[in-house]
Amino acid sequence: GTFFNGWEPTFLGFFVNGGLGYSTIEYLRRTFIEMAGTNAGALEIPIILASALIAASLGSVTLAPFESVRIRAVAQPNYADNIVGVLKRIVAEEGVGSLFSVVPAFLPKEILFVCTKFLVFDLSTVYLYETFPAANEDLKLSLLISLVGGTLGGVGAALVSNPADATVSEMKKSKSDISALGAFQALLDRGGIPLLYRGLGLRMFFYSLIVSIQFLVYDYVRFTLNI
């Protein structure tokens, strides 16, 4: 049961963040492609990055309160009887602003994570489709490419965002007024650069699994609807 502690805010956070993130990125990419016109092909990478950056900025605000609750629930299992209790106690003792105090750390984390995720996914899947053109006509091969691209995207995203992830965890594991910069410095003082990458292997596994499933389901829906 301990392994599933805090699953509720994780589920809700990814549900809200995923819905907002993917829809925002798709809308912005299509808008930027139309604006670029005949230059869209040459601007593919800047368009991906610009769309992901804006979506990640929105996502950092929506995901922050869910992560604040999750981290507290995992770090202090006896903090409250359930997730609602964790939320109420944080708000009562620290104020609503405490739920969003991690946004300064979440912003670079989400920008690095989302930009890397989509960039690696897009570039890797384009390469795979060019290498295996038969996948354009075969749904199973197309979904396999989505799975591989999502896995690579998740690994890359975990790698670049791990220091910010560690900073967020440091901020919210207990009641504290520590700032994002203060938490980052505390980690450096306590263990140096290696401490910023503690748990990287687990995060790479977790995010590669999550992102690959996200893209697999997302592309399956797209292909099924002939989008």
Side-chain angles (χ1 to χ4, degrees), residues 2 7 29 60 70 107 115 130 146 148 176 178 183 195 221:
T2 305
W7 73 268
R29 285 181 66 177
S60 66
R70 180 189 67 81
L107 193 59
C115 287
E130 291 175 350
S146 299
V148 172
S176 172
I178 191 170
L195 196 57
V221 173

Side-chain angles (χ1 to χ4, degrees), residues 163-164 167 170-171 178-189 193 196:
T167 301
E170 180 72 11
M171 291 176 67
I178 191 170
S179 66
L181 188 59
F184 182 80
Q185 189 61 52
L187 289 170
L188 285 178
D189 294 342
I193 297 296
L196 295 175

Side-chain angles (χ1 to χ4, degrees), residues 22-101:
Y22 279 82
S23 58
T24 300
I25 285 176
E26 278 296 331
Y27 176 78
L28 291 174
R29 285 181 66 177
R30 292 165 187 258
T31 301
F32 292 153
I33 287 171
E34 290 179 3
M35 292 171 60
T38 56
N39 297 318
L43 296 173
E44 179 182 7
I45 291 178
I47 286 174
I48 293 172
L49 291 176
S51 304
L53 189 149
I54 296 171
S57 299
L58 295 174
S60 66
V61 177
T62 59
L63 193 56
F66 295 102
E67 283 293 281
S68 296
V69 172
R70 180 189 67 81
I71 292 169
R72 188 66 59 85
V74 172
Q76 299 185 39
N78 298 320
Y79 189 77
D81 293 335
N82 51 51
I83 295 302
V84 175
V86 173
L87 175 64
K88 288 182 177 179
R89 183 173 172 183
I90 290 177
V91 172
E93 295 181 358
E94 304 169 38
V96 175
S98 176
L99 297 173
F100 296 91
S101 64

Side-chain angles (χ1 to χ4, degrees), residues 110-153:
E110 279 296 291
I111 289 174
L112 287 170
F113 185 91
V114 175
C115 287
T116 301
K117 176 176 76 172
F118 278 93
L119 183 61
V120 172
F121 175 81
D122 275 61
L123 294 180
S124 61
T125 52
V126 166
Y127 172 79
L128 289 171
Y129 275 117
E130 291 175 350
T131 305
F132 305 102
N136 289 290
E137 307 298 331
D138 189 313
L139 177 60
K140 291 182 179 179
L141 285 177
S142 295
L143 293 177
L144 180 60
I145 286 178
S146 299
L147 191 63
V148 172
T151 300
L152 294 174

Side-chain angles (χ1 to χ4, degrees), residues 154-163 165-166 193-208:
V155 169
L159 187 62
V160 300
S161 66
N162 204 85
D165 254 336
I193 297 296
L195 196 57
L196 295 175
Y197 286 92
R198 184 176 60 183
L200 176 60
L202 187 59
R203 280 191 173 101
M204 289 175 69
F205 172 76
F206 172 68
Y207 285 125
S208 64

